[in-house]
Structure formats: C-alpha cells, structure tokens
C-alpha cells in the first residue's frame, strides 16, 4: 500500500502549503484514511506476529515506540534548531512560539504538562482540543477558530511539531488495538464498529471543530481498518488477487490515484463518506496486490518522514525562496522535492538502523506466539 500511503502524505503537504487551488484529496481526509490503513496493519501484525499475551503485547509496544519516536524526536530537535536559527538571523524578530508564550503566563503544572506532551509524543493530540484565554484560562472543546481571535489562542499551535497531533491520537488507538483485534466474535467487532461510527457522526454534527482532533471520535476509522483485515482474511484475497492477470493487478495498484488525485484535479468534489468508502474497498485489495512488492513498501515507508518533516520543510523553503529571490513558481516543486530528499535521508540514517532492531523484536514475538500453548 506504499503508493496510497505516500499519496496521502503528499495530500497533507499540499493542504498545508495553502495553494490557491486544490488538486488532491483534502489533508483532513488523508489523515482519516491513514487511520484506516493503520487499523488494517495493526490488526494484521497483532494477530500474525504478537498474539494476545503479555510478552507479545510488550514486544508490540516496543516496536511501535521504535517506529514512531526516534524520527519524531529528530524532527522536534530540528524544528527547535530552525526556530533558534531564525531568531538569530532576525535579531529576535521571529514571533515567539505559543508554547513559550504560554509557559510564561500559565500555571506551572499546565506548562509542565504541555512540555511533557511535546517531548514524549503521547498526548500531542490533546492541545488541539483546547483554546487558551489568558484572562479566563483554558477552554476545552470550544468551536472557536484556529487563528488568534480576541486574544484567544488555539493550543494546537503549542505543539512544536504541529502535525504530530495525529501521531498522539494513533498511540491511543494502539492501546485499543488488542481489544479490537482479538474480540472473539465477528458480530461483536461489527457491533462495536457501528457504535463507534454513530458516535463519530454525532460528535461531528454537534462539535465539528474539536471532533476532528478527538481520538475517540476518530477511533471508528481505525476500527474500520481492523474490520477490513477481517474481510481480507475471510475472503482469502491474497489467493484471489494472485490469480488475476497482471493488467488487473496494476489497475488495482494504481486505482487510488483516480479518487485521490485525478477526480479532484478534474474538479470533482466528492463527499467525505464517498472518499471513505472508496478507500475502504481499496485497502484490502491493494494490500493483496502489493504485500510482496519491495519498491512499493519502501515508498510507503517514506510517507512517515514526509508527514513529520513537511511543516519544517515548508518553512525552510519559504524563507529560502524569499532570501534567494526565486520565483513563487518554485515553491511547490521545491517543497515536494525537499520533503522527499529529507525523508529519504532520515530513512537511511535513522529509520533503517532502527528497523533492524524492530525486525529482531518482531521475529522474537512471532517465535513466542508460535510456541505458546
């Protein structure tokens, strides 16, 4: 599913570039479909590698930590260093980050919690549910704008790596993943999925702003992915798709480009539910086609780096274009190229060495699971 994953990551990049015309699936939709893909993968590895036992779940937690945190920590340090560089270059003229402003004015315990969330990754989703009024304190679940308005600040900007809110939500999903993956009956999984979907729809209708960042309201997307893995197994899709002619496999492989790029590029504005449906029917077939495609897998692995580094890259490129006098037309290709190069370098220097450790953990967990009575 690497092609789909990198396409979704690029959609988030394009959304944050704030171009005059959108030509891809929206960034918000891309994040939700990422959650569906994650649910599919987590159900698969929990059932096939780790199992429902203390040792297996401990290995699962270690593996997820090594997948998420090292690259996040690198991006966090790089983002802070970039801010300090701008401070020096502008002789203190760079706007003060909201985290520092909040730390000076808010109670100590609130500041400590926010710094811990930034440094530890867990909880980076919570500030996006909060607005801060320096006169009245924190306001939770308020449908207020993200930009400063009447002295009220959206605390999502108090996360240094702002897009990491979705990684924080993902960690909550990992805590729920064993329960979702190992419910004993399929009807229980379906019933729970229906309940989660109804909760999501209700919250999106009553609190549309905060609902986008509230992980319980997003759990239905992750649960959708776990159900899609059940369908993949029950329908024996790997065997079924393996018998298809090569041209049919290629059509499945590249089918996400139709609804993620070509239709939006042609001006076709699909409803969110339709995009979710198309993604849901694509994911299990796409995995069956690409599970042993090493190039596709490598491309997909780059998506995490692209997602994490893109706001930093956008800032650096914007400053570079301004200072070097480059034409505005260079902005889009330079951002995409820089995101790709940065992601490739961090993959080679950070993720690849750590992946060797993760592979040993996965192998150990699989042996433990196989030998368990």
């Amino acid at each position: 599913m690497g092609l789909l994953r990198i396409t979704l990551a690029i959609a988030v990049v394009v959304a944050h570039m704030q171009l005059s015309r959108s030509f891809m699936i929206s960034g918000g939709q891309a994040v939700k479909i990422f959650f569906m893909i994650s649910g599919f993968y987590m159900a698969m590895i929990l059932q096939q590698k780790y199992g429902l036992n203390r040792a297996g779940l401990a290995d699962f937690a270690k593996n997820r930590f090594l997948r998420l945190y090292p690259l996040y920590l690198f991006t966090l340090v790089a983002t802070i260093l970039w801010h300090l560089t701008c401070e020096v270059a502008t002789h203190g003229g760079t706007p003060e980050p909201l985290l520092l402003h909040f730390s000076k004015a808010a109670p100590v315990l609130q500041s400590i919690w926010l710094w811990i969330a930034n440094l530890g990754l867990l909880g980076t989703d919570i500030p996006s549910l909060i607005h801060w009024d320096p006169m009245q304190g924190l306001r939770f679940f308020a449908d207020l704008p993200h930009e400063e308005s009447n002295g009220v600040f959206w605390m999502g900007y108090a996360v240094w790596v702002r897009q990491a809110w979705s990684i924080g939500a993902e960690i909550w999903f990992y805590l729920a993943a064993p329960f979702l993956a190992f419910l004993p009956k399929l009807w229980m999984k379906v019933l729970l999925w229906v309940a989660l979907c109804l909760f999501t729809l209700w919250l999106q209708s009553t609190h549309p702003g905060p609902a986008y960042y509230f992980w319980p309201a997003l759990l239905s997307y992750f649960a959708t992915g776990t159900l899609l893995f059940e369908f993949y197994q029950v329908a024996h899709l790997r065997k079924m798709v393996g018998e298809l002619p090569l041209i049919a496999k290629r059509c499945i492989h590249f089918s996400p480009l139709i609804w993620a790029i070509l239709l939006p590029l042609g001006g076709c504005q699909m409803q969110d539910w339709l995009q979710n449906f198309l993604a849901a029917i694509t994911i299990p077939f796409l995995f069956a086609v690409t599970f042993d495609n090493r190039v596709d897998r490598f491309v997909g692995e780059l998506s995490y780096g692209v997602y994490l580094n893109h706001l930093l890259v956008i800032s650096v490129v914007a400053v570079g274009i301004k200072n070097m006098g480059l034409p505005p037309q260079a902005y889009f290709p330079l951002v995409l190229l820089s995101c790709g190069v940065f992601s490739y370098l961090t993959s080679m220097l950070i993720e690849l060495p750590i992946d060797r450790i993760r592979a040993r953990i996965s192998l150990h967990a699989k042996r433990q699971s196989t030998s368990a009575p």
Side-chain angles (χ1 to χ4, degrees):
M1 287 192 283
L3 180 63
L4 174 57
R5 290 163 62 194
I6 197 67
T7 301
L8 296 174
I10 292 172
V12 175
V13 177
V14 171
H16 285 149
M17 291 175 70
Q18 299 180 332
L19 302 174
S20 57
R21 179 172 180 259
S22 175
F23 59 89
M24 294 187 72
I25 186 174
S26 72
Q29 277 298 103
V31 170
K32 293 172 184 176
I33 296 171
F34 260 127
F35 291 151
M36 293 167 62
I37 294 172
S38 176
F40 184 95
Y41 275 127
M42 293 308 106
M44 179 181 67
I45 64 174
L46 278 166
Q47 293 183 25
Q48 295 183 353
K49 290 185 179 180
Y50 297 103
L52 187 60
N53 57 75
R54 182 178 297 179
L57 294 179
D59 285 338
F60 172 73
K62 294 174 193 173
N63 208 314
R64 290 294 89 201
F65 173 82
L66 290 172
R67 171 61 178 149
L68 298 180
Y69 191 71
L71 188 57
Y72 168 77
L73 183 61
F74 173 82
T75 307
L76 174 65
V77 172
T79 302
I80 294 174
L81 289 176
W82 172 243
H83 170 74
L84 295 175
T85 302
C86 293
E87 277 278 311
V88 173
T90 60
H91 305 288
T94 302
E96 183 179 48
L98 180 56
L99 178 59
L100 300 182
H101 179 46
F102 179 79
S103 299
K104 295 175 182 177
V108 174
L109 289 180
Q110 292 180 4
S111 300
I112 291 175
W113 161 74
L114 200 53
W115 277 99
I116 290 175
N118 272 273
L119 294 172
L121 189 56
L122 178 63
T124 48
D125 55 314
I126 297 175
S128 296
L129 303 170
I130 303 171
H131 282 76
W132 173 49
D133 186 337
M135 302 300 295
Q136 300 181 14
L138 300 179
R139 301 168 64 177
F140 294 84
F141 241 69
D143 283 299
L144 295 172
H146 289 176
E147 301 304 324
E148 180 187 352
S149 177
N150 299 320
V152 178
F153 301 87
W154 179 55
M155 293 304 291
Y157 289 121
V159 179
W160 277 103
V161 184
R162 182 157 50 93
Q163 65 275 27
W165 74 267
S166 65
I167 312 301
E170 186 89 4
I171 295 173
W172 298 117
F173 298 159
Y174 292 162
L175 296 177
F179 176 74
L180 293 170
F182 291 108
L183 275 175
K185 300 294 183 180
L186 180 59
W187 67 264
M188 294 180 180
K189 297 180 181 181
V190 173
L191 188 63
L192 178 59
W193 174 76
V194 171
L196 289 171
C197 289
L198 290 175
F199 176 70
T200 298
L201 291 173
W202 171 76
L203 202 60
Q204 287 177 344
S205 63
T206 55
H207 298 281
Y212 176 69
Y213 299 98
F214 189 46
W215 74 264
L218 298 168
L219 185 57
S220 58
Y221 297 97
F222 186 85
T224 300
T226 64
L227 273 184
L228 292 175
F229 179 68
E230 293 290 333
F231 168 71
Y232 171 82
Q233 285 189 303
V234 171
H236 304 288
L237 284 189
R238 181 181 295 186
K239 181 180 179 182
M240 181 194 304
V241 171
E243 297 172 352
L244 294 175
L246 182 60
I247 184 65
K249 294 179 182 179
R250 291 294 174 262
C251 288
I252 294 173
H253 192 180
F254 292 99
S255 62
L257 300 182
I258 298 174
W259 51 264
I261 299 179
L262 295 181
L263 290 179
L265 185 62
C268 178
Q269 299 299 322
M270 289 182 290
Q271 296 291 322
D272 290 352
W273 69 266
L274 180 55
Q275 291 177 337
N276 292 335
F277 175 75
L278 291 173
I281 62 175
T282 299
I283 287 171
F285 288 93
L286 195 58
F287 179 77
V289 168
T290 61
F291 75 94
D292 60 350
N293 188 322
R294 296 179 63 182
V295 174
D296 183 81
R297 183 182 305 170
F298 176 75
V299 170
E301 292 299 309
L302 293 179
S303 64
Y304 183 51
V306 169
Y307 182 76
L308 271 186
N309 73 45
H310 76 272
L311 284 181
L312 172 61
V313 168
I314 286 173
S315 177
V316 173
V317 169
V319 171
I321 286 178
K322 180 180 178 181
N323 291 340
M324 298 170 65
L326 296 175
Q329 293 83 354
Y331 177 57
F332 177 71
L334 274 179
V335 167
L336 289 189
L337 179 62
S338 301
C339 282
V341 171
F342 196 179
S343 179
Y344 176 78
L345 292 176
T346 53
S347 175
M348 292 295 103
L349 298 176
I350 299 174
E351 294 183 273
L352 194 58
I354 291 174
D355 280 348
R356 297 189 184 100
I357 302 174
R358 293 178 57 225
R360 289 198 293 270
I361 294 174
S362 295
L363 182 61
H364 173 264
K366 193 168 184 178
R367 287 172 176 168
Q368 290 281 90
S369 178
T370 317
S371 61

